[in-house]
Amino acid sequence: FLSQASSTCSMLFSLFEALDYRLDDVSIKYLLLGILSDSGYLTYDKSDYSDVEMVAALLKQAGLRIYDISEIAKVSMSLDELKVK
């Protein structure tokens, strides 16, 4: 299943979910941004319903709304945060 991932972050999400690993809110935000940016905000042909499910699950875990993601993406980042992204 990992070779079919549309992004590195979606692969990581699947791995964390399989290991039943609980993510903190900061990690969730980075995974969300990674999934969305790597998949062209779910517009690339490799994106499918599983990516939408991942985004929805991460939003729910962090108590965020779709709108919050665009706000997070607009926020200036430090060099260290940019390296992580």
Side-chain angles (χ1 to χ4, degrees):
F1 72 99
L2 296 179
S3 64
Q4 301 301 319
S6 63
S7 70
T8 303
C9 287
S10 61
M11 180 187 67
L12 287 172
F13 175 79
S14 297
L15 183 63
F16 292 144
E17 193 173 56
L19 296 172
D20 200 28
Y21 183 79
R22 181 150 171 82
L23 299 166
D24 62 22
D25 288 347
V26 173
S27 298
I28 289 172
K29 289 176 184 177
Y30 281 126
L31 279 178
L32 278 166
L33 288 172
I35 291 169
L36 291 170
S37 64
D38 288 352
S39 67
Y41 284 79
L42 305 175
T43 61
Y44 296 158
D45 62 350
K46 199 165 184 180
S47 298
D48 62 15
Y49 67 90
S50 63
D51 295 304
V52 175
E53 288 175 342
M54 285 180 207
V55 168
L58 288 166
L59 287 169
K60 187 174 182 180
Q61 285 177 29
L64 297 170
R65 301 168 297 150
I66 294 287
Y67 171 80
D68 297 324
I69 295 305
S70 63
E71 290 303 306
I72 292 166
K74 291 179 194 173
V75 174
S76 300
M77 291 187 227
S78 70
L79 181 57
D80 289 337
E81 289 174 321
L82 186 59
K83 286 178 186 175
V84 170
K85 185 177 177 192

